[in-house]
Amino acid sequence: MLIQRPEYLRFLQEWREKQVIKVVTGIRRCGKSTLFDLYRDFLKQDGVSDAQIIAINLEDVAFEDLHNYRVLYDYVKARMVPDKMNYIFLDEIQHVEKYEKAVDSLFVQKNADVYITGSNAYFMSGELATLLSGRFVELKMLPLSFAEYVSAFPKQTNLEGLYRNYVYNSSFPYTVQLNNRRNIHEYLDGLFNTVVLNDIVERKSIQDPGMLKSVIRFMFDNIGNLCSAKKIADAMTSAGRKISNHTVENYLEGLTDSLLMYRVGRYDVKGKEYLRLLDKYYLADVGLRYYLLGTRNVDQGHILENVVYLELLRRGCQVYVGKSGSGEVDFVTQDYAGNIEYYQVSWSVRDEQTLQRELAPLDSISDHNPKTLLTMDNDPPVSHNGIRQTYVLDWLLRQ
């Protein structure tokens, strides 16, 4: 089943044949290869011949001989059609030693339109980013949005039931084809261990994978909570697993580099400054939280907060946790044009005390930027002194 990813596909279509390398990054199995399949179908429908498309998945053992940059370059160059545009897709390029040399050499060919993917944040760090400075655009891909997930079940109309499945069964695209929880669990187990062992343990040369997994369990259990390396180290030590602040920082870097988790810094709304102490962390897919920790002690409010955070990323926003006096705004966003918006997320505000508690931080902000309260209360839209209260599932389905 090919689930359409219209926003991502539109990005590739808009940058087609422009003199930049198209770089697609994202956690493993979030759909990068499938996006390339969809895009190649579009190219063929637009008159591009099969001979003009060169597609190589470097995780496929069939292309293992191409893991040397020179061999890869020669292989692609020999297959390019002269005097016509060639569309070159290099999937999981980080497996190629000194891949930046092959990418750059292909890019300078006048009849080459180059697309590459990678599964880690450090994929776009260091030499490649330096070498290609100003010559690439990056598409940061995530697993399925709620709207994309819903599109995979056209016969189901119960939005709240679909939301429960979305967060519990995972938003990774392949899971929509799995028909029971056991299969989904086994799939997520393979994905989780691949990310941990290949993208964190190996990359960071971690000597104690057991301790790393303990830290991961702690982080998965604390999504949406303010954290610091010291706070995590103290919690682990008090639980009988002594660990240094430095080691925790190294593990957190591995978690964010692998794109398994996202670190969100804080912004002082009144002081207009970024705060260095205490960040929040959110998961690339909350289904992994259920896979690892089960269904006990789940804070549904924080799960919903995680879903909203990822959606704000998909919509092209820079996202921060807001501090307004002694209060906290869940998210402060800024778009490419510099427009600022404020979001508060709560599972329910039908209790008057809860409603006032959620509104207070937004009320304390004196500027006139849009303010939105997102909840699971399926009530008619209402405005609280200019703060829009919106049913979050409707908001998630807006394109």
Side-chain angles (χ1 to χ4, degrees):
M1 177 192 300
L2 281 181
I3 300 171
Q4 296 300 311
R5 314 291 300 268
E7 293 301 319
Y8 295 139
L9 190 58
R10 192 174 301 120
F11 177 94
L12 297 182
Q13 291 168 344
E14 288 175 354
W15 286 100
R16 176 183 175 183
E17 296 185 17
K18 289 186 169 63
Q19 288 300 301
V20 289
I21 296 165
K22 277 61 74 171
V23 180
V24 182
T25 58
I27 189 172
R28 289 175 181 269
R29 304 185 197 173
C30 70
K32 299 185 297 295
S33 299
T34 302
L35 176 64
F36 277 0
D37 288 339
L38 292 168
Y39 183 56
R40 286 192 288 266
D41 287 344
F42 160 77
L43 291 174
K44 291 175 185 178
Q45 291 169 12
D46 199 45
V48 175
S49 69
D50 287 339
Q52 292 172 259
I53 297 174
I54 302 170
I56 300 170
N57 186 337
L58 290 150
E59 286 197 321
D60 188 336
V61 70
F63 297 112
E64 194 171 20
D65 292 343
L66 304 183
H67 285 194
N68 173 279
Y69 78 90
R70 182 74 208 201
V71 176
L72 174 63
Y73 171 77
D74 290 341
Y75 177 92
V76 174
K77 190 71 168 59
R79 286 160 177 76
M80 290 175 64
V81 178
D83 303 320
K84 284 189 177 182
M85 182 59 70
N86 293 266
Y87 300 87
I88 301 166
F89 297 89
L90 304 175
D91 217 349
E92 303 297 353
I93 188 69
Q94 75 274 4
H95 290 290
V96 177
E97 183 183 0
K98 298 181 180 178
Y99 57 83
E100 62 276 2
K101 292 187 176 183
V103 170
D104 189 51
S105 297
L106 291 169
F107 169 69
V108 298
Q109 307 299 313
K110 292 183 178 180
N111 61 334
D113 194 19
V114 181
Y115 301 79
I116 64 177
T117 76
S119 295
N120 337 96
Y122 40 74
F123 160 67
M124 278 308 296
S125 65
E127 290 184 27
L128 183 61
T130 301
L131 181 64
L132 303 180
S133 179
R135 293 190 288 171
F136 71 89
V137 290
E138 182 180 4
L139 172 60
K140 297 179 180 179
M141 211 172 166
L142 289 161
L144 298 176
S145 69
F146 182 60
E148 290 166 341
Y149 185 86
V150 168
S151 75
F153 301 94
K155 296 181 180 180
Q156 296 188 29
T157 58
N158 180 352
L159 283 185
E160 295 196 6
L162 284 166
Y163 173 81
R164 284 194 299 272
N165 292 340
Y166 175 66
V167 297
Y168 180 53
N169 290 335
S170 165
S171 60
F172 283 102
Y174 186 65
T175 60
V176 303
Q177 301 181 48
L178 302 177
N179 55 13
N180 63 62
R181 182 63 191 170
R182 178 179 177 179
N183 290 345
I184 291 171
H185 188 276
E186 289 175 353
Y187 177 78
L188 293 178
D189 183 66
L191 168 60
F192 175 79
N193 284 297
T194 298
V195 170
V196 170
L197 294 176
N198 290 13
D199 295 343
I200 304 179
V201 172
E202 184 177 332
R203 172 73 183 185
K204 304 292 287 184
S205 300
I206 290 172
Q207 302 301 311
D208 188 351
M211 178 63 84
L212 170 64
K213 288 188 177 181
S214 293
V215 170
I216 291 174
R217 293 178 69 88
F218 178 88
M219 295 305 297
F220 280 24
D221 202 29
N222 283 275
I223 55 174
N225 290 328
L226 291 171
C227 288
S228 68
K230 183 179 185 307
K231 178 181 177 181
I232 297 164
D234 289 347
M236 298 295 297
T237 300
S238 66
R241 300 296 304 272
K242 187 172 177 58
I243 186 172
S244 70
N245 293 359
H246 174 75
T247 300
V248 170
E249 288 173 357
N250 188 46
Y251 289 178
L252 292 177
E253 188 177 83
L255 282 171
T256 54
D257 280 349
S258 68
L259 303 176
L260 184 61
M261 298 196 83
Y262 290 83
R263 183 199 307 257
V264 187
R266 291 199 301 160
Y267 178 75
D268 188 331
V269 176
K270 294 184 177 180
K272 306 297 181 186
E273 62 179 350
Y274 301 102
L275 304 173
R276 295 185 178 181
L277 297 177
L278 299 175
D279 299 311
K280 287 190 176 184
Y281 290 81
Y282 294 100
L283 269 165
D285 168 69
V286 293
L288 287 169
R289 192 262 178 219
Y290 287 101
Y291 147 76
L292 191 64
L293 302 179
T295 58
R296 295 181 60 188
N297 303 320
V298 177
D299 186 328
Q300 291 296 341
H302 279 163
I303 295 291
L304 181 60
E305 199 177 302
N306 200 129
V307 170
V308 169
Y309 168 74
L310 294 176
E311 183 61 25
L312 291 170
L313 287 187
R314 288 187 186 94
R315 296 182 185 185
C317 298
Q318 291 181 297
V319 187
Y320 307 94
V321 174
K323 178 181 178 296
S324 180
S326 60
E328 181 182 287
V329 178
D330 288 327
F331 301 118
V332 180
T333 69
Q334 186 172 21
D335 66 15
Y336 295 122
N339 299 308
I340 292 173
E341 294 193 28
Y342 305 104
Y343 292 88
Q344 200 77 326
V345 183
S346 179
W347 185 258
S348 174
V349 292
R350 286 178 175 157
D351 174 76
E352 184 63 25
Q353 282 188 318
T354 303
L355 174 62
Q356 295 307 318
R357 185 183 68 241
E358 297 294 344
L359 291 175
L362 295 174
D363 271 328
S364 72
I365 300 171
S366 58
D367 64 41
H368 299 290
N369 293 309
K371 302 168 187 174
T372 304
L373 172 61
L374 297 170
T375 82
M376 283 291 286
D377 298 326
N378 189 3
D379 300 328
V382 62
S383 176
H384 306 279
N385 193 28
I387 299 169
R388 297 169 299 181
Q389 181 180 330
T390 302
Y391 181 43
V392 67
L393 298 189
D394 284 345
W395 179 82
L396 288 169
L397 290 175
R398 291 177 192 165
Q399 296 298 309

